[in-house]
């Protein structure tokens, strides 16, 4: 039985007899009960899917009869933890007048019992919490997940970041079932055809820009999968990458602060520039001198580089390229306020970076040279193009 109404089914059936493509779709759609969906989400990627499901619910209430939304509680942020930052999907669900359940764990929590019956499909999109077997087994049709990569490539919580960090020029969307034990190991029910779609401006694309590209495509593949009843047993694996083996696959691990910690000994300028674009301002450590009643003391402090660019190396600074990460200044002391002096550092592949703005731990973000001089980071590491090369003392950024 199709839950679309007798007359509606008859009309579609009659049209299918004269339209081969419609006939194929009609015959491939699996029958199922009206869906009572428990949607688990958090961010803009999941919001796109929620809105698409809600629109489908309004158009076809006999296909999707209800949608309940699960999200994590807001977190206290700011000075004194006085403000509460809500997850974005909460506002979106409220605007759609959908029931909202805020939970930080599934332990001890039971999905709502609705007038039409129990929840029969779980949809988790960019949620963050693992949906336990108790919840999945309690839903007749199990669970679905939309993942912004061509699985099994870029399994993990940060596929967009790692796709850009890997320098990929193409990506795709996977619709999979929710696995009972592991993230991103479900049956792939639908996937962007090989070789995936192009990433817009891959050499300059940011995570928000990539998100704007994949979010509507993820919503589309989810709705199409529900229309076709791909979640109804028997399930068919549609993952086309599975036959290519596991070589070259990337695990999209959670992004941590250490991913923004510059490795001067091994990172090229291209790597530094890409990470800065994808992850935001990078950081390093510098040996900083401070004055005390007992004399000068030295300690390592974190330095966030907020603005930098590659420049052409001036004559006379070749010696500094021998030690990647060693900050130095062009000119000789004392520095005149009106002189065009800057703070520089070489990368592993011999590219010269000028640091325009940076923030030393405990200080305000300011001009790079001014910050370095105040923190006594550079000592006598200066050069003058007319005075020959200077041998730098070894005190690089770390």
């Amino acid at each position: 039985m199709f839950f679309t109404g007798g007359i509606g089914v008859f009309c579609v059936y009659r049209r299918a007899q004269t339209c081969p493509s419609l006939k194929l779709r009609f015959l491939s759609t699996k029958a199922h009960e009206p869906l009572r969906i428990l949607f688990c989400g958090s961010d803009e990627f999941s919001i796109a899917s929620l809105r698409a499901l809600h629109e489908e619910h309004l158009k076809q209430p006999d296909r999707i009869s209800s949608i309940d939304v699960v999200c994590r509680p807001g977190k206290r942020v700011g000075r004194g933890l006085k403000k509460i930052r809500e997850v974005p999907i909460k506002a979106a669900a409220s605007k759609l007048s959908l029931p909202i359940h805020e939970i930080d764990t599934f332990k001890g929590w039971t999905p709502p019992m609705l007038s039409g019956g129990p929840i029969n499909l779980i949809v988790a999109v960019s949620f963050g919490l693992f949906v336990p077997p108790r919840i999945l087994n309690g839903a007749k049709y199990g669970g679905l997940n939309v993942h912004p990569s061509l699985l099994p490539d870029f399994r993990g919580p940060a596929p967009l970041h790692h796709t850009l960090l890997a320098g990929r020029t193409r990506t795709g969307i996977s619709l999979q079932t929710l696995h009972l034990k592991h993230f991103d190991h479900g049956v792939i029910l639908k996937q962007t055809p090989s070789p995936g779609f192009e990433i817009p401006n891959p050499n300059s694309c940011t995570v928000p820009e990539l998100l704007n590209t994949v979010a509507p495509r993820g919503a589309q593949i989810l709705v199409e999968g529900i229309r076709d009843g791909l979640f109804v047993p028997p399930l068919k694996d549609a993952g086309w990458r599975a036959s290519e083996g596991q070589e070259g696959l990337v695990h999209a691990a959670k992004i941590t602060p250490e991913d923004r910690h510059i490795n001067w000994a091994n990172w090229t300028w291209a790597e530094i520039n890409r990470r800065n674009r994808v992850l935001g301002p990078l950081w390093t450590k510098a040996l900083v001198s401070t004055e005390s009643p007992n004399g000068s003391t030295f300690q390592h402090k974190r330095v966030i580089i907020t603005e930098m660019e590659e420049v052409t190396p001036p004559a006379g600074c070749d010696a500094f390229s021998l030690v990647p990460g060693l900050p130095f200044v062009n000119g000789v002391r004392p520095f005149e306020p009106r002189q065009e002096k800057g703070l520089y550092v070489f990368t592993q592949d011999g590219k010269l970076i000028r640091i325009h703005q940076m923030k030393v731990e405990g200080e305000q973000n300011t001009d790079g040279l001014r910050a370095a001089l105040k923190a006594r980071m550079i000592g006598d590491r200066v050069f003058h193009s007319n005075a020959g090369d200077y041998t730098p003392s070894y005190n690089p950024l770390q």
Side-chain angles (χ1 to χ4, degrees):
M1 176 179 181
F2 286 90
F3 289 85
T4 51
I7 296 178
V9 169
F10 178 77
C11 292
V12 172
Y13 179 79
R14 291 294 296 173
R15 287 183 59 198
Q17 305 310 302
T18 59
C19 180
S21 61
L22 182 59
K23 181 177 181 180
L24 179 62
R25 186 181 185 96
F26 179 79
L27 294 177
S28 65
T29 300
K30 299 178 182 177
H32 57 82
E33 296 178 3
L35 296 177
R36 297 175 291 277
I37 296 175
L38 186 69
F39 186 94
C40 309
S42 61
D43 58 12
E44 294 300 326
F45 183 68
S46 51
I47 288 175
S49 291
L50 177 63
R51 287 173 175 161
L53 285 181
H54 181 257
E55 183 177 350
E56 186 73 2
H57 158 65
L58 296 179
K59 293 178 179 178
Q60 297 285 348
D62 45 358
R63 177 180 291 136
I64 300 178
S65 63
S66 66
I67 304 174
D68 280 57
V69 176
V70 171
C71 64
R72 304 181 76 168
K75 294 184 178 180
R76 292 190 174 274
V77 297
R79 182 172 297 179
L81 301 179
K82 296 180 180 180
K83 294 183 179 180
I84 297 179
R85 179 183 296 162
E86 304 285 3
V87 291
I89 201 169
K90 181 179 179 180
S94 297
K95 191 172 182 179
L96 297 175
S97 301
L98 298 175
I100 300 172
H101 311 273
E102 296 183 78
I103 62 172
D104 213 15
T105 176
F106 281 102
K107 186 176 181 179
W109 185 81
T110 302
M113 178 61 71
L114 308 175
S115 58
I119 294 291
N120 57 12
L121 179 66
I122 313 296
V123 177
V125 182
S126 190
F127 183 46
L129 286 180
F130 187 80
V131 182
R134 173 178 62 87
I135 302 293
L136 292 176
N137 290 332
K140 180 176 180 178
Y141 300 115
L144 294 177
N145 168 256
V146 180
H147 192 79
S149 82
L150 295 174
L151 291 171
D153 209 9
F154 297 104
R155 280 186 176 128
L160 300 185
H161 294 80
H162 285 280
T163 294
L164 295 177
L165 289 176
R168 298 292 176 86
T169 59
R170 290 179 175 272
T171 188
I173 305 293
S174 300
L175 177 66
Q176 63 175 333
T177 63
L178 290 174
H179 196 274
L180 293 176
K181 294 183 178 180
H182 306 288
F183 280 110
D184 302 331
H185 280 72
V187 178
I188 298 176
L189 304 176
K190 194 176 180 69
Q191 196 166 43
T192 304
S194 175
F197 52 79
E198 292 185 354
I199 294 175
N201 305 312
N203 293 326
S204 62
C205 187
T206 63
V207 172
E209 290 170 346
L210 183 56
L211 175 63
N212 290 337
T213 299
V214 299
R217 294 174 184 263
Q220 179 182 2
I221 204 170
L222 173 62
V223 171
E224 289 178 352
I226 286 181
R227 286 175 181 170
D228 294 338
L230 300 183
F231 53 90
V232 180
L235 304 180
K236 182 180 179 181
D237 193 330
W240 55 267
R241 289 190 64 101
S243 61
E244 299 181 8
Q246 301 299 307
E247 295 183 4
L249 300 182
V250 177
H251 174 59
K254 181 180 179 181
I255 298 299
T256 68
E258 195 61 28
D259 292 311
R260 296 188 294 110
H261 187 179
I262 302 176
N263 185 335
W264 295 103
N266 297 301
W267 289 4
T268 63
W269 163 242
E271 178 72 12
I272 292 173
N273 190 38
R274 181 185 295 125
R275 288 188 180 241
N276 184 68
R277 166 170 54 89
V278 176
L279 304 180
L282 308 181
W283 64 275
T284 184
K285 286 185 177 180
L287 190 62
V288 174
S289 171
T290 56
E291 292 293 335
S292 67
N294 298 325
S296 298
T297 59
F298 295 88
Q299 60 179 316
H300 279 99
K301 287 191 174 182
R302 177 174 295 201
V303 177
I304 301 175
I305 302 176
T306 55
E307 184 181 343
M308 59 182 167
E309 68 169 335
E310 181 191 4
V311 295
T312 302
C317 65
D318 296 344
F320 294 96
S321 65
L322 300 177
V323 187
L326 184 70
F328 62 92
V329 178
N330 61 325
V332 295
R333 292 180 181 274
F335 298 119
E336 295 294 334
R338 294 183 181 179
Q339 286 181 318
E340 279 294 324
K341 306 305 174 186
L343 180 66
Y344 298 87
V345 62
F346 275 100
T347 62
Q348 178 270 342
D349 58 336
K351 303 297 183 180
L352 184 62
I353 299 176
R354 178 166 181 171
I355 300 176
H356 291 289
Q357 296 280 323
M358 70 180 189
K359 182 183 184 304
V360 178
E361 183 178 339
E363 302 291 341
Q364 297 293 321
N365 183 49
T366 187
D367 174 76
L369 175 57
R370 185 179 304 148
L373 292 175
K374 184 177 181 180
R376 300 185 180 182
M377 287 170 44
I378 54 176
D380 61 351
R381 292 192 300 278
V382 299
F383 78 93
H384 192 274
S385 59
N386 296 323
D389 293 349
Y390 284 73
T391 302
S393 56
Y394 187 79
N395 184 20
L397 299 171
Q398 298 178 0

